[in-house]
Amino acid sequence: MLANTPKVLYKATMAGTFPLFGDPAFVGALLDASPDLFFYKDASFLYRFANRAFCELFGLTLEAVAGQTDFTLFEKESAERHRKADLTVMRTGRFGAFEYEVVGGGRSVWLEVFKTPVRDASGGIQGIFCSARNITTHKRLEVASRNARLELEKDAATRAEDLRRVNEELRRQAAERGKAEKALEESLRAVNLILENSPIGIAVVADRIVQRANPTFHELFAMPPGTVAGRSTADFYPDREAYEAFGRDFYPVLGRGRRVDTVRPMRRADGTEFWCRIIGQVLFPDRPQAGSIWLMEDVTERRLAEEATLAAERLKREFADNMSHEVRTPLNGILGMAELLLATELTDEQRGLVATLKESAGNLTELLESILDFSRLDADSEATRNTPFNINNIIQGAVNSFGSSALQKGLSLTWRIDPETPDLVVGDGAGLRRVLAALLSNAIKFTVQGGVEVAVSVGADCREAVPAATNGVVMVSFAVRDTGIGLPVDQLETVFEPFRQADGSMTRHYGGAGLGLAIARKIATSMGGDLTVESRPGSGSVFCFTAPFSLPRDGGTAAS
């Protein structure tokens, strides 16, 4: 826009509106404060300028970029895309918008690039000014939307200390190079183009009065062009209290030279409110009174999407809890009536039918509990409880609870604890009990003859004992071995997936929903441990659960 403006008018516009535009350091602050990419090429397609976001994106330095072409900075296909767009702008002499993929610096990104020809006083094209936005995430979201999933990401931001060091480095470089007046004017022209073309609202503020704002800022607050300068920032807040609260919370942070990055409700000139991401930084950390620069973006849709996601998760948990109650009530009624029927005089056939009814209702109750447990774990709604407990008691209780099941199938069920294993530890005893119950249930279900053994030892591996504790934390391994049907190698990982068993016929033959091992692994992970399996078809399986536990400092009593 300003490429055709006479030099005198341009200088008056930049220096007169806000004197700091004549300071190279201020130019650097504006260039590097934006998360967008800005770069300039001369008529020979040589890079003469690139901002910090450009250099960081491709892992380059300003010195490595200056004087280079796209063919020396990027891979050939990416460079050809850049050159094709540049030639289009040079040939037509008009502004152009492009989208293409760029590969460089060991990464691949999609850019939305706006290219504007820069003309000299005589009207000749002396270069191309480019602004670009990284739209890689947007491209990925387009793909993800086919599966009705929306990925949210936040813009990357730089730390205040990094910005301060960059400003100092730019000042030093400017002093060393001794830029000529013409180079300075070209830099200022580039800054003005950044302000005019940036898709993010940018404003320079001093004493909470807007000194200058770009067109996007005007659009963001529904104000006519050129009407923002000189207005108090109080006009953009929902009410006076919000304006004063922002000053109390964040202006002291600015005064310490730190950056502000927050999301707040703001108000447009037409009275509508919206959620706005606000990024602010003082121009000079040693002179905060000199003013600050603010970047603003409407994030209402993103905010609403986040709230909708949280509401959906909450509704999902409430639904699971409600369904748990609603389904348990009739199931308990069925089980109770079956118990009462069994206590009456029945024929052998009737007794068998009622026993089958009771068993089926019990299986359905167990299935419901498994599904609800998996749903709660999947939503991370269960917290790990760390309390002192006795490992021996947990193991005995788990083994005893499955003693009758093993006896009915004619299986041996044994357990042993290595003498080096501490009796009392601090951790999630309830979680350990649930993991062992799932592993024992699985082992007994898929074992026809032989037996099941639970072995406890100290160490991060069920095959290797490491008795020493580190910083009061000890790794304990729990191995559940069986002589069952075993698993092929290609199914050792899929067996931990929900609703999966070794093959489809397993569900029909052995029953179950395939949730036990999936729930066990989720619990193991939440405890900071791991659950693995070693197995061969026909040779049984060994499920190994390892987890860290703390040693009690005061010799506390274990929870029962």
Side-chain angles (χ1 to χ4, degrees), residues 144-326:
S145 64
R146 298 171 192 165
N147 301 317
R149 298 178 58 190
L150 182 63
E151 296 289 343
L152 299 175
E153 78 169 9
K154 297 182 179 179
D155 294 330
T158 57
R159 297 182 303 172
E161 182 60 22
D162 292 338
L163 181 60
R164 185 184 66 80
R165 287 198 296 265
V166 169
N167 285 336
E168 292 177 353
E169 180 63 16
L170 286 174
R171 294 190 192 100
R172 186 187 65 81
Q173 292 178 2
E176 291 176 351
R177 289 194 298 266
K179 289 184 177 180
E181 181 66 21
K182 180 179 179 180
L184 179 59
E185 290 180 0
E186 290 176 351
S187 297
L188 293 175
R189 183 180 297 112
V191 171
N192 197 66
L193 286 171
I194 291 171
L195 288 172
E196 296 297 322
N197 296 282
S198 175
I200 291 180
I202 302 175
V204 177
V205 177
D207 296 326
R208 306 198 78 176
I209 300 297
V210 179
Q211 305 299 317
R212 185 180 181 186
N214 71 340
T216 305
F217 188 94
H218 288 79
E219 295 174 3
L220 185 64
F221 288 95
M223 300 187 70
T227 60
V228 171
R231 299 187 65 140
S232 169
T233 56
D235 295 344
F236 310 118
Y237 291 86
D239 50 48
R240 187 71 185 182
E241 174 56 31
Y243 166 77
E244 294 176 353
F246 190 91
R248 289 193 303 268
D249 295 340
F250 297 109
Y251 268 81
V253 176
L254 286 176
R256 293 192 294 269
R258 296 173 57 189
R259 195 188 63 167
V260 170
D261 189 345
T262 184
V263 176
R264 286 288 185 274
M266 302 296 280
R267 186 185 63 191
R268 295 187 175 91
D270 58 10
T272 59
E273 295 186 7
F274 66 101
W275 287 100
C276 182
R277 185 184 181 191
I278 306 171
I279 302 175
Q281 172 68 49
V282 294
L283 297 173
F284 306 103
D286 56 339
R287 291 185 289 120
Q289 70 278 7
S292 54
I293 182 170
W294 297 88
L295 283 69
M296 298 189 177
E297 181 182 12
D298 186 346
V299 294
T300 302
E301 292 185 2
R302 186 186 308 168
R303 181 87 175 200
L304 293 176
E306 293 173 351
E307 293 176 353
T309 300
L310 293 175
E313 289 295 332
R314 184 169 58 254
L315 182 62
K316 177 181 176 182
R317 290 193 295 270
E318 292 175 355
F319 176 78
D321 292 340
N322 291 336
M323 288 303 299
S324 170
H325 173 74
E326 295 298 330

Side-chain angles (χ1 to χ4, degrees), residues 423-556:
D423 291 332
L424 190 64
V425 296
V426 177
D428 188 357
L432 172 60
R433 185 181 293 108
R434 292 170 68 185
V435 172
L436 290 175
L439 297 182
L440 286 171
S441 174
N442 184 76
I444 293 173
K445 180 187 297 184
F446 293 102
T447 301
V448 178
Q449 60 182 1
V452 177
E453 179 192 47
V454 179
V456 184
S457 61
V458 175
D461 191 303
C462 290
R463 295 172 297 182
E464 179 181 0
V466 184
T470 304
N471 296 326
V473 177
V474 61
M475 293 294 296
V476 183
S477 299
F478 305 84
V480 178
R481 298 182 175 89
D482 64 60
T483 57
I485 60 176
L487 293 167
V489 176
D490 60 347
Q491 294 176 357
L492 293 182
E493 279 302 316
T494 59
V495 73
F496 293 108
E497 297 178 3
F499 309 106
R500 291 289 296 271
Q501 291 183 336
D503 58 56
S505 63
M506 294 295 180
T507 302
R508 295 187 295 273
H509 185 73
Y510 293 97
L515 284 174
L517 293 179
I519 292 174
R521 172 166 273 190
K522 281 184 173 290
I523 297 174
T525 301
S526 69
M527 294 173 63
D530 192 18
L531 178 59
T532 59
V533 60
E534 294 181 0
S535 181
R536 288 187 301 174
S539 300
S541 304
V542 179
F543 285 85
C544 179
F545 167 50
T546 60
F549 297 95
S550 301
L551 296 175
R553 298 180 179 179
D554 55 359

Side-chain angles (χ1 to χ4, degrees), residues 317 321 372-373 375-385:
R317 290 193 295 270
D321 292 340
L372 292 175
D373 283 346
S375 177
R376 284 190 288 266
L377 288 168
D378 191 49
D380 294 328
S381 61
E382 289 197 0
T384 300
R385 301 177 181 87

Side-chain angles (χ1 to χ4, degrees), residues 39-43 45 85-87 89-90 114-118 125-130:
F39 48 99
Y40 174 77
K41 305 175 191 176
D42 62 19
F45 306 109
D86 291 342
L87 290 173
V89 174
M90 293 290 285
F114 302 94
K115 296 179 179 286
T116 304
V118 178
I125 297 178
Q126 63 180 22
I128 302 174
F129 173 76
C130 308

